[in-house]
Amino acid sequence: MTTVANASKSEQAYAWIRSRISGHVFGPGYRLVLGSLAEELGMSVVPVREAIRRLEAEGLVTFERNVGARVTLVDESEYAHTMQTLGLVEGAATALSAPLLDAAALDAAEAVNERMIRMLDHLDPHAFTELNRQFHSLLFEPCPNPHLLDLVHRGWARLSGIRDSTFAYVPGRAQHSVEEHTEILELIRAGADPLDIELAARNHRLRTRDAFLDALHARSHHNPGDES
Protein backbone atom coordinates (compact mmCIF):
# COMPACT_ATOMS: atom_id res chain seq x y z
CA MET A 1 0.00 0.00 0.00
CA THR A 2 1.25 3.48 -0.88
CA THR A 3 2.38 5.38 2.17
CA VAL A 4 1.54 9.02 2.87
CA ALA A 5 5.22 9.87 2.34
CA ASN A 6 5.28 8.13 -1.02
CA ALA A 7 2.05 9.85 -2.03
CA SER A 8 3.55 13.21 -1.14
CA LYS A 9 6.74 12.45 -3.06
CA SER A 10 4.71 11.22 -6.01
CA GLU A 11 2.87 14.55 -6.06
CA GLN A 12 6.18 16.41 -5.93
CA ALA A 13 7.60 14.31 -8.78
CA TYR A 14 4.44 14.79 -10.80
CA ALA A 15 4.49 18.59 -10.42
CA TRP A 16 8.23 18.78 -11.19
CA ILE A 17 8.11 16.59 -14.31
CA ARG A 18 4.90 18.17 -15.58
CA SER A 19 6.33 21.68 -15.24
CA ARG A 20 9.33 20.66 -17.33
CA ILE A 21 7.17 19.07 -19.99
CA SER A 22 4.90 22.11 -20.11
CA GLY A 23 7.87 24.46 -20.22
CA HIS A 24 9.49 22.34 -22.95
CA VAL A 25 12.59 21.65 -20.89
CA PHE A 26 11.57 18.07 -21.63
CA GLY A 27 10.48 18.42 -25.26
CA PRO A 28 8.43 16.07 -27.44
CA GLY A 29 10.14 12.68 -27.62
CA TYR A 30 12.32 13.30 -24.55
CA ARG A 31 13.10 9.98 -22.82
CA LEU A 32 12.10 9.93 -19.16
CA VAL A 33 14.57 7.64 -17.37
CA LEU A 34 13.17 6.70 -13.97
CA GLY A 35 16.53 6.24 -12.27
CA SER A 36 17.90 9.57 -13.48
CA LEU A 37 14.75 11.44 -12.54
CA ALA A 38 14.66 9.82 -9.11
CA GLU A 39 18.30 10.74 -8.50
CA GLU A 40 17.72 14.35 -9.53
CA LEU A 41 14.65 14.57 -7.30
CA GLY A 42 16.39 12.83 -4.39
CA MET A 43 13.83 10.07 -4.00
CA SER A 44 13.28 6.43 -4.91
CA VAL A 45 11.91 5.36 -8.29
CA VAL A 46 8.56 4.30 -6.80
CA PRO A 47 6.98 7.78 -6.51
CA VAL A 48 8.56 8.78 -9.83
CA ARG A 49 6.97 5.78 -11.52
CA GLU A 50 3.60 6.74 -10.03
CA ALA A 51 4.02 10.29 -11.30
CA ILE A 52 4.89 9.02 -14.79
CA ARG A 53 1.79 6.82 -14.83
CA ARG A 54 -0.34 9.81 -13.91
CA LEU A 55 1.19 11.85 -16.71
CA GLU A 56 0.55 8.95 -19.09
CA ALA A 57 -3.13 9.01 -18.13
CA GLU A 58 -3.20 12.72 -19.01
CA GLY A 59 -1.68 12.04 -22.42
CA LEU A 60 1.56 13.93 -21.73
CA VAL A 61 3.68 10.78 -21.60
CA THR A 62 3.62 7.62 -23.71
CA PHE A 63 5.29 4.24 -23.21
CA GLU A 64 7.09 2.53 -26.07
CA ARG A 65 8.18 -1.09 -26.16
CA ASN A 66 11.91 -1.49 -25.52
CA VAL A 67 12.23 2.27 -24.99
CA GLY A 68 10.22 3.23 -21.93
CA ALA A 69 8.53 6.51 -21.12
CA ARG A 70 8.79 9.47 -23.46
CA VAL A 71 7.19 12.89 -23.60
CA THR A 72 4.32 12.56 -26.05
CA LEU A 73 5.10 13.72 -29.56
CA VAL A 74 2.92 16.42 -31.10
CA ASP A 75 0.58 14.98 -33.72
CA GLU A 76 1.01 17.71 -36.32
CA SER A 77 -1.96 16.65 -38.40
CA GLU A 78 -4.28 16.46 -35.40
CA TYR A 79 -3.09 19.84 -34.13
CA ALA A 80 -3.44 21.53 -37.52
CA HIS A 81 -6.93 20.12 -38.12
CA THR A 82 -8.09 21.01 -34.62
CA MET A 83 -6.83 24.59 -34.89
CA GLN A 84 -8.34 25.01 -38.35
CA THR A 85 -11.72 23.74 -37.16
CA LEU A 86 -11.58 25.79 -33.97
CA GLY A 87 -10.75 28.89 -35.99
CA LEU A 88 -13.87 28.38 -38.11
CA VAL A 89 -16.33 27.66 -35.30
CA GLU A 90 -14.88 30.10 -32.76
CA GLY A 91 -14.76 32.86 -35.35
CA ALA A 92 -18.43 32.29 -36.14
CA ALA A 93 -19.39 32.06 -32.46
CA THR A 94 -17.55 35.31 -31.67
CA ALA A 95 -19.32 37.11 -34.53
CA LEU A 96 -22.70 35.87 -33.32
CA SER A 97 -21.85 36.89 -29.75
CA ALA A 98 -20.71 40.40 -30.71
CA PRO A 99 -24.14 42.11 -30.70
CA LEU A 100 -24.82 40.58 -27.26
CA LEU A 101 -21.61 41.84 -25.65
CA ASP A 102 -22.28 44.95 -23.59
CA ALA A 103 -19.73 47.49 -22.40
CA ALA A 104 -19.16 45.60 -19.15
CA ALA A 105 -18.33 42.37 -20.97
CA LEU A 106 -15.97 44.13 -23.35
CA ASP A 107 -14.31 45.97 -20.47
CA ALA A 108 -13.82 42.62 -18.70
CA ALA A 109 -12.19 41.13 -21.82
CA GLU A 110 -9.98 44.20 -22.18
CA ALA A 111 -8.93 43.91 -18.53
CA VAL A 112 -7.87 40.30 -19.12
CA ASN A 113 -5.89 41.33 -22.17
CA GLU A 114 -4.20 44.10 -20.15
CA ARG A 115 -3.10 41.49 -17.62
CA MET A 116 -1.64 39.47 -20.49
CA ILE A 117 0.23 42.53 -21.76
CA ARG A 118 1.75 43.17 -18.33
CA MET A 119 2.99 39.59 -18.30
CA LEU A 120 4.92 39.84 -21.57
CA ASP A 121 8.25 40.92 -20.03
CA HIS A 122 8.25 37.97 -17.63
CA LEU A 123 6.11 35.40 -19.43
CA ASP A 124 4.53 32.64 -17.39
CA PRO A 125 3.21 30.40 -20.20
CA HIS A 126 0.68 28.59 -18.00
CA ALA A 127 -0.81 31.75 -16.51
CA PHE A 128 -0.75 33.43 -19.92
CA THR A 129 -2.55 30.46 -21.48
CA GLU A 130 -5.24 30.54 -18.80
CA LEU A 131 -5.78 34.27 -19.32
CA ASN A 132 -5.95 33.66 -23.06
CA ARG A 133 -8.70 31.10 -22.47
CA GLN A 134 -10.58 33.56 -20.26
CA PHE A 135 -10.32 36.30 -22.87
CA HIS A 136 -11.76 34.22 -25.67
CA SER A 137 -14.39 32.69 -23.44
CA LEU A 138 -15.74 36.14 -22.61
CA LEU A 139 -16.19 36.79 -26.33
CA PHE A 140 -17.71 33.52 -27.50
CA GLU A 141 -19.76 32.27 -24.53
CA PRO A 142 -22.79 34.53 -25.25
CA CYS A 143 -23.16 32.83 -28.66
CA PRO A 144 -26.91 32.17 -29.08
CA ASN A 145 -26.35 29.02 -31.13
CA PRO A 146 -25.87 26.16 -28.62
CA HIS A 147 -24.70 23.69 -31.26
CA LEU A 148 -21.97 26.05 -32.45
CA LEU A 149 -20.93 26.79 -28.88
CA ASP A 150 -20.68 23.05 -28.18
CA LEU A 151 -18.29 22.69 -31.13
CA VAL A 152 -16.13 25.51 -29.74
CA HIS A 153 -15.97 23.81 -26.34
CA ARG A 154 -15.05 20.52 -27.98
CA GLY A 155 -12.28 22.19 -29.95
CA TRP A 156 -10.73 23.77 -26.86
CA ALA A 157 -10.93 20.47 -25.00
CA ARG A 158 -9.30 18.57 -27.85
CA LEU A 159 -6.60 21.19 -28.18
CA SER A 160 -5.65 20.98 -24.51
CA GLY A 161 -5.10 17.26 -24.93
CA ILE A 162 -2.73 17.76 -27.85
CA ARG A 163 -0.39 20.26 -26.23
CA ASP A 164 -0.33 22.13 -22.97
CA SER A 165 0.80 25.58 -24.01
CA THR A 166 1.65 27.08 -27.37
CA PHE A 167 3.12 30.10 -25.59
CA ALA A 168 5.71 27.93 -23.83
CA TYR A 169 6.85 26.60 -27.20
CA VAL A 170 6.58 29.87 -29.13
CA PRO A 171 6.95 32.69 -26.54
CA GLY A 172 7.24 35.30 -29.31
CA ARG A 173 3.66 34.58 -30.31
CA ALA A 174 2.40 36.15 -27.06
CA GLN A 175 3.12 39.74 -28.20
CA HIS A 176 1.28 39.29 -31.49
CA SER A 177 -1.57 37.53 -29.73
CA VAL A 178 -2.40 40.43 -27.40
CA GLU A 179 -2.19 42.87 -30.32
CA GLU A 180 -4.70 40.78 -32.24
CA HIS A 181 -6.94 40.64 -29.16
CA THR A 182 -6.99 44.45 -29.16
CA GLU A 183 -7.97 44.50 -32.85
CA ILE A 184 -10.85 42.07 -32.24
CA LEU A 185 -12.12 44.17 -29.33
CA GLU A 186 -11.93 47.34 -31.41
CA LEU A 187 -13.98 45.73 -34.17
CA ILE A 188 -16.67 44.61 -31.72
CA ARG A 189 -16.81 47.99 -29.96
CA ALA A 190 -17.16 49.74 -33.32
CA GLY A 191 -20.08 47.51 -34.36
CA ALA A 192 -18.13 46.20 -37.33
CA ASP A 193 -19.63 43.89 -39.93
CA PRO A 194 -20.05 40.40 -38.42
CA LEU A 195 -17.95 38.91 -41.21
CA ASP A 196 -15.02 41.20 -40.35
CA ILE A 197 -15.23 40.10 -36.71
CA GLU A 198 -15.47 36.45 -37.71
CA LEU A 199 -12.44 36.68 -39.99
CA ALA A 200 -10.39 38.54 -37.37
CA ALA A 201 -11.10 35.85 -34.75
CA ARG A 202 -10.51 33.04 -37.26
CA ASN A 203 -7.22 34.43 -38.56
CA HIS A 204 -6.04 35.00 -34.99
CA ARG A 205 -6.42 31.27 -34.34
CA LEU A 206 -4.76 30.29 -37.63
CA ARG A 207 -1.76 32.53 -37.00
CA THR A 208 -1.21 30.76 -33.70
CA ARG A 209 -1.39 27.42 -35.49
CA ASP A 210 1.14 28.50 -38.11
CA ALA A 211 3.55 29.93 -35.52
CA PHE A 212 3.49 26.70 -33.51
CA LEU A 213 4.02 24.44 -36.52
CA ASP A 214 6.81 26.66 -37.89
CA ALA A 215 8.60 26.47 -34.53
CA LEU A 216 8.09 22.71 -34.37
CA HIS A 217 9.60 22.23 -37.83
CA ALA A 218 12.51 24.53 -37.04
CA ARG A 219 13.30 22.65 -33.84
CA SER A 220 13.06 19.29 -35.62
CA HIS A 221 15.43 20.55 -38.32
CA HIS A 222 18.04 21.75 -35.82
CA ASN A 223 17.74 18.69 -33.56
CA PRO A 224 17.06 15.68 -35.77
CA GLY A 225 16.50 12.54 -33.70
CA ASP A 226 17.12 14.38 -30.42
CA GLU A 227 15.82 12.24 -27.59
CA SER A 228 17.49 13.58 -24.49
Side-chain angles (χ1 to χ4, degrees), residues 41-145:
L41 286 163
M43 60 180 67
S44 73
V45 297
V46 175
V48 175
R49 183 181 295 111
E50 292 173 354
I52 293 294
R53 291 296 183 186
R54 183 174 169 186
L55 291 164
E56 181 189 17
E58 294 179 3
L60 293 175
V61 170
T62 54
F63 277 89
E64 298 178 24
R65 180 189 289 264
N66 300 324
V67 175
R70 287 185 185 276
V71 176
T72 301
L73 293 168
V74 175
D75 186 327
E76 287 188 45
S77 178
E78 178 73 5
Y79 176 82
H81 291 158
T82 298
M83 287 292 278
Q84 182 180 50
T85 302
L86 184 56
L88 291 168
V89 296
E90 186 180 342
T94 301
L96 288 174
S97 294
L100 305 175
L101 294 167
D102 59 17
L106 293 174
D107 287 347
E110 185 173 2
V112 172
N113 199 44
E114 287 295 329
R115 290 175 63 191
M116 297 174 74
I117 291 171
R118 291 194 295 271
M119 194 179 290
L120 290 175
D121 290 336
H122 303 284
L123 188 65
D124 178 338
H126 303 297
F128 193 89
T129 297
E130 174 57 24
L131 290 173
N132 184 61
R133 185 196 63 76
Q134 292 177 23
F135 174 86
H136 287 288
S137 181
L138 285 166
L139 299 188
F140 67 66
E141 285 295 347
C143 176
N145 184 326

Side-chain angles (χ1 to χ4, degrees), residues 124-204:
D124 178 338
H126 303 297
F128 193 89
T129 297
E130 174 57 24
L131 290 173
N132 184 61
R133 185 196 63 76
Q134 292 177 23
F135 174 86
H136 287 288
S137 181
L138 285 166
L139 299 188
F140 67 66
E141 285 295 347
C143 176
N145 184 326
H147 301 293
L148 187 59
L149 190 57
D150 179 62
L151 291 173
V152 176
H153 290 159
R154 288 172 182 264
W156 276 85
R158 183 183 294 272
L159 193 62
S160 67
I162 297 172
R163 207 67 193 140
D164 187 26
S165 173
T166 298
F167 301 110
Y169 206 75
V170 196
R173 174 60 188 154
Q175 175 68 53
H176 297 296
S177 185
V178 295
E179 292 171 356
E180 291 162 19
H181 288 175
T182 299
E183 293 171 5
I184 294 169
L185 285 175
E186 288 175 350
L187 286 171
I188 296 174
R189 287 189 188 277
D193 187 285
L195 182 58
D196 290 335
I197 296 171
E198 179 175 347
L199 290 176
R202 179 193 305 176
N203 290 332
H204 171 65

